[in-house]
Amino acid sequence: MCAAVSPEWPSNGLDVARLIGEGWRPVPFSEVVLKIHGRCNLACDYCYVYEGADQTWRSRPRVMAPDVIAKTAARLGEHVRKHALTDVSVVLHGGEPLLAGRTAIASAVDRFRAALPASCDLEVTMQTNGVLLTDEMLAMLDDNDVGVAVSLDGDREGHDRHRRRADGRGSHADVMRGLNRLAASHRRLYRGLLCTVDLDNDPIRTYEALLETRPPRIDFLLPHGTWSTPPPRRPADGQGTPYADWLVPIFDRWYHAPHKETGVRLFEEILNLLLGGQSRSENIGLSPVAMVVVDTDGTLQQVDTLKAAYAGAPETGLTVFGNSFDDALTHPGVVARQIGVAALSQTCRTCAVRDICGGGAYAHRYREGEGYLNPSVYCPDLMALISHIGRTVQHDLALATAAPGR
């Protein structure tokens, strides 16, 4: 499949050859998102894959064929050796990756482990809706050391509002059955929960429902939207902060808990950046994004959340059969995710929280006719959340330094 021809930034306006001529070099890919199955057993109404602007999933294979898996593994091995990488990760994704079945998943993991040199550690994880986490499936994942993260949007009412089957039935009960199996008998595989923020759900009730299986981490995801198609109740040209107003009570509940109940990725990343650390998330901060997506047909893509922007937005025009991973490193969309401040709009470059926010999630910056050289559509929310966390930390640091004996 050819890459979408876009007159917008970064396809038009980012001079990659000049950057390389001036000495910039890309960061090698250390994460491969493998779309091992291209369909899903749920019909979530907010899904960026099936409900987004990009509908190319309809023309792609339902399942990733063994030759695509083998070639992708070989490409990763080639990339690891060329750049002397010491650790990489493969994320089994979809669609719903568990639809691929136990045999195909185990075979794929074997392929990737065999393709890498002994000098490189491989972490394999998956993002699943949890419905198919049977005892047999979990035993296979345990045997193959595959970490598992599960999508859960809170309690039954909150989860089932959007995460339903095609016939309208809710999925919460099935997800919880699988999640309880994971958290009890295969806890070493449990990587955490992914929760999409829904302003119609009570934030504290949602957070406390997520705590029930003692997840090691929770990742709150802002609904995908752009300046052209704003997220629910996010005023595109207004200064309201509905999403920060939803997240701040959770932060306060999490931060002031008498003991650590779980990690919350968004909050931890903001705290880490405020205290001078580096970002480990593609959605916050300015650290280079070193991730490539391989779809079921072997096409190399940028982060698949770009599907929320326009048809063909994630495409690079490259495939594992005709191109190395290095070929994708100089695609303008990949380069834009690695050059930090140089990829930010003028508004973001002069912002007081620039290095913390980092412009927000890349997909959320898109505006039709302009491209991605914009602040996040969530700009007011990000400013409010970061400012609240910053004030909280400053207050605690001031108390600590003023304590007797200091």
Side-chain angles (χ1 to χ4, degrees), residues 119-255:
S119 57
C120 182
D121 291 331
L122 172 65
E123 179 185 31
V124 182
T125 60
M126 72 162 45
Q127 182 67 45
T128 173
N129 60 38
V131 169
L132 298 177
L133 285 175
T134 62
D135 289 330
E136 295 79 9
M137 185 67 78
L138 282 164
M140 180 277 296
L141 295 174
D142 209 331
D143 287 344
N144 288 276
D145 198 22
V146 178
V148 181
V150 177
S151 297
L152 180 69
D153 284 352
D155 60 11
R156 182 189 295 268
E157 179 184 359
H159 179 91
D160 284 348
R161 182 176 292 112
H162 301 288
R163 299 188 65 81
R164 295 177 171 271
R165 296 178 182 273
D167 62 6
R169 289 181 297 133
S171 63
H172 185 267
D174 291 333
V175 174
M176 289 306 300
R177 272 192 290 272
L179 187 54
N180 282 319
R181 290 187 187 106
L182 170 66
S185 302
H186 302 273
R187 189 161 190 88
R188 77 178 191 91
L189 303 180
Y190 194 4
R191 296 296 185 268
L193 299 174
L194 177 65
C195 175
T196 299
V197 174
D198 183 349
L199 299 179
D200 289 329
N201 293 338
D202 179 83
I204 298 302
R205 188 165 67 243
T206 298
Y207 176 65
E208 292 182 344
L210 296 175
L211 290 177
E212 288 180 9
T213 57
R214 298 183 296 114
R217 174 170 288 182
I218 298 170
D219 200 354
F220 287 106
L221 180 70
L222 294 171
H224 292 303
T226 70
W227 290 101
S228 301
T229 54
R233 288 154 57 184
R234 171 60 260 164
D237 298 314
Q239 291 302 306
T241 59
Y243 288 89
D245 296 344
W246 196 91
L247 287 164
V248 162
I250 297 178
F251 171 79
D252 289 342
R253 163 74 169 74
W254 171 78
Y255 182 83

Side-chain angles (χ1 to χ4, degrees), residues 1-213:
M1 178 174 293
C2 295
V5 178
S6 173
E8 305 165 340
W9 195 92
S11 295
N12 180 28
L14 181 59
D15 191 340
V16 177
R18 180 183 62 79
L19 287 170
I20 293 173
E22 292 174 351
W24 174 82
R25 293 294 181 269
V27 175
F29 295 122
S30 57
E31 179 178 327
V32 177
V33 176
L34 196 71
K35 296 284 185 175
I36 195 168
H37 201 284
R39 301 296 186 270
C40 193
N41 50 355
L42 297 184
C44 307
D45 58 16
Y46 58 57
C47 182
Y48 63 85
V49 176
Y50 305 109
E51 303 297 330
D54 186 302
Q55 292 289 298
T56 53
W57 64 271
R58 296 179 183 275
S59 60
R60 288 195 158 99
R62 295 177 64 87
V63 183
M64 182 173 279
D67 64 327
V68 177
I69 293 171
K71 192 62 177 179
T72 304
R75 290 298 189 191
L76 180 57
E78 171 185 272
H79 197 66
V80 163
R81 290 177 173 86
K82 179 172 182 179
H83 298 281
L85 301 179
T86 57
D87 54 89
V88 294
S89 64
V90 170
V91 182
L92 305 179
H93 210 274
E96 169 49 49
L98 292 179
L99 286 173
R102 288 178 288 159
T103 301
I105 292 170
S107 176
V109 174
D110 285 344
R111 279 282 190 181
F112 277 90
R113 295 201 192 284
L116 300 187
S119 57
C120 182
D121 291 331
L122 172 65
E123 179 185 31
V124 182
T125 60
M126 72 162 45
Q127 182 67 45
T128 173
N129 60 38
V131 169
L132 298 177
L133 285 175
T134 62
D135 289 330
E136 295 79 9
M137 185 67 78
L138 282 164
M140 180 277 296
L141 295 174
D142 209 331
D143 287 344
N144 288 276
D145 198 22
V146 178
V148 181
V150 177
S151 297
L152 180 69
D153 284 352
D155 60 11
R156 182 189 295 268
E157 179 184 359
H159 179 91
D160 284 348
R161 182 176 292 112
H162 301 288
R163 299 188 65 81
R164 295 177 171 271
R165 296 178 182 273
D167 62 6
R169 289 181 297 133
S171 63
H172 185 267
D174 291 333
V175 174
M176 289 306 300
R177 272 192 290 272
L179 187 54
N180 282 319
R181 290 187 187 106
L182 170 66
S185 302
H186 302 273
R187 189 161 190 88
R188 77 178 191 91
L189 303 180
Y190 194 4
R191 296 296 185 268
L193 299 174
L194 177 65
C195 175
T196 299
V197 174
D198 183 349
L199 299 179
D200 289 329
N201 293 338
D202 179 83
I204 298 302
R205 188 165 67 243
T206 298
Y207 176 65
E208 292 182 344
L210 296 175
L211 290 177
E212 288 180 9
T213 57

Side-chain angles (χ1 to χ4, degrees), residues 312-328:
E315 306 292 341
T316 65
L318 309 174
T319 77
V320 293
F321 295 105
N323 304 95
S324 68
F325 283 179
D326 271 41
D327 291 337

